[in-house]
Amino acid sequence: MQHRRGYEVHFIQDVICGSELNLFSTEFFLVRSRREMWVAMESKDMKFTWLKIRFEKHQTLNLEVRNNPHIFVI
């Protein structure tokens, strides 16, 4: 079952294998609570929307950190 969950991201048509979103998901789902949330969602559309929002927030934070030399992330 654990194996199937990991591949479920690949079955969403809008997640292209090897894309930034796909690679983000491999690290994102290392956190157990995120995997649990993913499994709890019923539709692929809901899952994709949630993952995409989290990815966009991640990108925004990274951009802010790169553009502000006074931010220190541990």
Side-chain angles (χ1 to χ4, degrees):
M1 187 91 171
Q2 185 78 350
H3 187 69
R4 184 181 136 321
R5 288 183 201 156
Y7 283 103
E8 192 171 335
V9 172
H10 300 292
F11 294 128
I12 298 176
Q13 185 176 0
D14 296 321
V15 180
I16 299 167
C17 189
S19 68
E20 286 186 71
L21 178 59
N22 177 254
L23 297 174
F24 166 78
S25 71
T26 60
E27 289 187 41
F28 182 75
F29 287 117
L30 290 174
V31 177
R32 182 179 182 168
S33 61
R34 294 172 182 165
R35 292 191 308 267
E36 290 171 349
M37 177 64 99
W38 179 265
V39 172
M41 292 182 206
E42 295 181 9
S43 75
K44 287 184 180 180
D45 289 337
M46 183 184 296
K47 290 177 179 186
F48 175 68
T49 300
W50 177 71
L51 183 61
K52 191 170 81 170
I53 289 169
R54 296 302 302 252
F55 176 61
E56 290 168 357
K57 287 182 180 182
H58 171 78
Q59 286 184 310
T60 300
L61 177 62
N62 281 345
L63 186 59
E64 289 174 10
V65 169
R66 278 185 263 151
N67 290 333
N68 189 340
H70 301 291
I71 296 177
F72 183 72
V73 178
I74 296 176

